Every structure is written in structure tokens, then in C-alpha cells.
Amino acid sequence: GGSSAPAPPSGGSSAPAPSIYKITYNNGGGIGTAPAGPNTYTFGNSFKLPENTFARVGYDFNGWSEDFSKVIFKPGDTYNALQGDVSFTATWKKHKYEIKYLSGDGATGVGPIEPNNFEYGKNFEAPECKNDCYVKTGYVFNAWSNGVTTYKAGDEVITKDSDITLTAVWVIDNAAI
């Protein structure tokens, strides 16, 4: 019994050319240009993820999310490529800021406990200052000031991309006169 399969062609290499696949980087809401590379990989090879080149106001870069698996990779991490084009999206973590309360001139005691922080882009409500809050003999609490704007308790405090300090504003207690 002979085989009826045709004989392989003679001469030349029969090894197929390696498959080259595309790597894409998406900004995930940031701005700027994508990393210079790597932009391709060869089937069966791994590659290292690049440094982030995108920027996003109020956020820190958190890593590259592989779009299919959603696994987060840090710059310099090795990605073991399987087969096919791959895409990564920049992930971001919102800045978180502290709120510091000051008693104001001559007042004593402890300031409000909450709110004590906020995330970038989120305003908060100015707290009340009564009962277990700052006290100033002969005065009553009136408002909070950030040095530019005065906020009555319950007012929306407009935040910036930074920590915030609110100082108690006092008025003479007319009821004590």
C-alpha cells in the first residue's frame, strides 16, 4: 500500500513567516499621545508595557487594563501575548483630598469630624459648628471661609484639585449683650 498524497515541493523553506500582531493604547479619558511602543509583537513572544504618556486632570494613572481580560498591568510589567491584536486602556484613580478645619481667632475646642475628605470633582456641604464644635466666648459661629469664599452651614463648598482649609468665622453674640 502506497500513499497517494503528493510529495512536498522540493527546495526552499517550508517554515511559515511569523505572525505579527498590533498593540493599541487607549487614553481612558485622558489626553495626550499614545506611548511610542511597543506597537506590535510577534506570535509567541512577550513584551513589556510602556510608561504612561497620557494625562488626566484630577487623576493619577493606575495602570494599563488589557481590554479583553480587564487585568491591570503596571508600566514595565511583562505581557505574555497569546495570539491576535491586543488593546490596553489607561485606568485612573481620582485624587482624594483632605479638609482641614481651623478654629479662627481665639476660638478653642475641636472642629467638625466630617466631612474630612473629598474626591476630585466632588463638592461637599459645609458642616454645622455647634454642640461639640469650636467655641469662642462672646461670639457665635457664623460660617466657614477658605480665604476667598464664605460658606454658611449647608452651603455647597466648591472644591479645586487640592486640599482645602476652612476657618471658622465668628460674629459677636448679641444675645449675650
Side-chain angles (χ1 to χ4, degrees):
S3 172
S4 62
S10 59
S13 171
S14 61
S19 298
I20 307 285
Y21 295 104
K22 185 176 166 189
I23 306 167
T24 305
Y25 304 97
N26 301 302
N27 65 21
I31 58 169
T33 57
N39 293 313
T40 60
Y41 75 92
T42 305
F43 172 70
N45 291 350
S46 63
F47 59 88
K48 290 195 182 301
L49 282 153
E51 291 296 322
N52 171 47
T53 53
F54 298 118
R56 188 170 179 189
V57 173
Y59 294 79
D60 290 320
F61 178 70
N62 193 47
W64 295 108
S65 173
E66 195 276 314
D67 288 350
F68 178 74
S69 69
K70 304 300 183 209
V71 171
I72 305 286
F73 294 88
K74 299 294 182 190
D77 284 355
T78 299
Y79 181 80
N80 294 309
L82 298 175
Q83 185 173 354
D85 295 343
V86 291
S87 180
F88 297 90
T89 299
T91 61
W92 305 94
K93 186 174 61 173
K94 278 187 178 185
H95 290 170
K96 194 168 194 171
Y97 296 104
E98 289 187 21
I99 305 166
K100 183 177 177 184
Y101 298 98
L102 299 178
S103 61
D105 185 36
T108 58
V110 178
I113 296 170
E114 290 187 350
N116 59 13
N117 62 60
F118 63 94
E119 283 186 341
Y120 172 75
K122 303 265 190 202
N123 296 327
F124 63 92
E125 194 174 289
E128 292 193 10
C129 189
K130 59 183 184 181
N131 303 331
D132 294 332
C133 190
Y134 297 127
V135 292
K136 184 175 178 181
T137 304
Y139 292 82
V140 292
F141 172 80
N142 183 50
W144 297 104
S145 174
N146 64 6
V148 177
T149 306
T150 300
Y151 301 98
K152 296 278 192 189
D155 286 352
E156 182 181 30
V157 177
I158 308 301
T159 62
K160 303 266 190 268
D161 194 8
S162 64
D163 290 341
I164 191 167
T165 298
L166 295 175
T167 303
V169 177
W170 301 94
V171 295
I172 292 175
D173 184 359
N174 291 324
I177 296 174

